[in-house]
Amino acid sequence: MSLVLDPAAQDLLFREARTANTFTDEPVTEEQVQAIYDLVKYGPTAFNQSPLRITLVRSPEARERLVALMAEGNQAKTSAAPLVAILSADNEFHEELPALFPHFPQAKDVFFGERPVREGAAAMNATLQAAYFIIGVRAAGLAAGPMTGLDFEGVRKEFLDDDHTPLMVVNIGKPGPDAWFPRSPRLAYEDVVTTV
């Protein structure tokens, strides 16, 4: 059975897409980021939590501070990418639930009144949204370079606050020369899927 999505779109989003390691200097505009968000905000999360928060690092001074917190192998590409986004989980997402989950506004207190519960839910659902964000970057015709090689506590202290947990940093832009490593293998269907 074939997929409904056009094969060219399948290639753009999955088969031909890779983590970019170099970028051109073509800027990524605010309008492009807005369009990406306006698409990916519809991806599902539990209770419609929507805990992902995106911090765009645009100023040279902020970029310098972030680069210093990246693992050595990620510093040059983070320094050179046209746009860098810090993706984090808002551990106080429950404050938005009365608006985001209006048919059961009590969910804010019934399910998420305790901070450890919120932190677990925020981490899982914001990570899911981060995946949507990466696909959205690809849908915009851009390349994403998501990275977790960084000083998480340093990023939190430098760019966020105690209510936000950094998840990853994503370099964004048009792919540059030699942007891709060779495609790594993937597991076969029968190695992943079990029927019970």
Side-chain angles (χ1 to χ4, degrees), residues 3-184:
L3 300 174
V4 174
L5 188 65
D6 178 85
Q10 295 174 39
D11 288 343
L12 177 71
L13 299 178
F14 293 100
R15 284 191 287 263
E16 298 300 323
R18 314 234 192 113
T19 295
N21 293 291
T22 69
F23 297 90
T24 69
D25 58 4
E26 183 178 331
V28 177
T29 67
E30 202 68 31
E31 292 76 18
Q32 286 172 300
V33 178
Q34 177 79 51
I36 290 165
Y37 176 73
D38 285 342
L39 174 64
V40 304
K41 69 183 178 184
Y42 294 109
T45 57
F47 292 90
N48 198 31
Q49 291 172 22
S50 306
L52 180 70
R53 300 297 179 261
I54 303 165
T55 303
L56 300 177
V57 181
R58 288 201 179 271
S59 75
E61 181 269 333
R63 180 75 63 102
E64 187 175 312
R65 288 168 29 224
L66 178 60
V67 168
L69 296 167
M70 300 302 294
E72 185 177 342
N74 292 332
Q75 289 181 344
K77 53 190 170 186
T78 302
S79 181
L83 179 62
V84 181
I86 300 168
L87 304 188
S88 64
D90 181 357
N91 296 308
E92 297 298 310
F93 69 85
H94 69 308
E95 296 296 342
E96 304 293 338
L97 282 182
L100 293 175
F101 205 63
H103 52 284
F104 186 46
Q106 304 92 321
K108 170 183 184 272
D109 298 313
V110 171
F111 295 110
F112 302 108
E114 297 180 16
R115 176 69 180 237
V117 173
R118 288 198 304 276
E119 287 178 353
M124 181 176 68
N125 287 280
T127 300
L128 181 61
Q129 287 186 285
Y132 301 146
F133 181 78
I134 292 165
I135 299 301
V137 168
R138 293 172 175 181
L142 300 169
M147 300 168 294
T148 56
L150 56 112
D151 175 353
F152 284 91
E153 184 59 17
V155 167
R156 188 193 61 75
K157 286 180 178 176
E158 193 70 31
F159 293 96
L160 306 170
D161 58 33
D162 288 340
D163 290 331
H164 294 79
T165 302
L167 301 171
M168 66 186 68
V169 167
V170 182
N171 294 329
I172 304 168
K174 293 281 187 181
D178 301 316
W180 323 115
F181 294 142
R183 170 73 77 192
S184 295

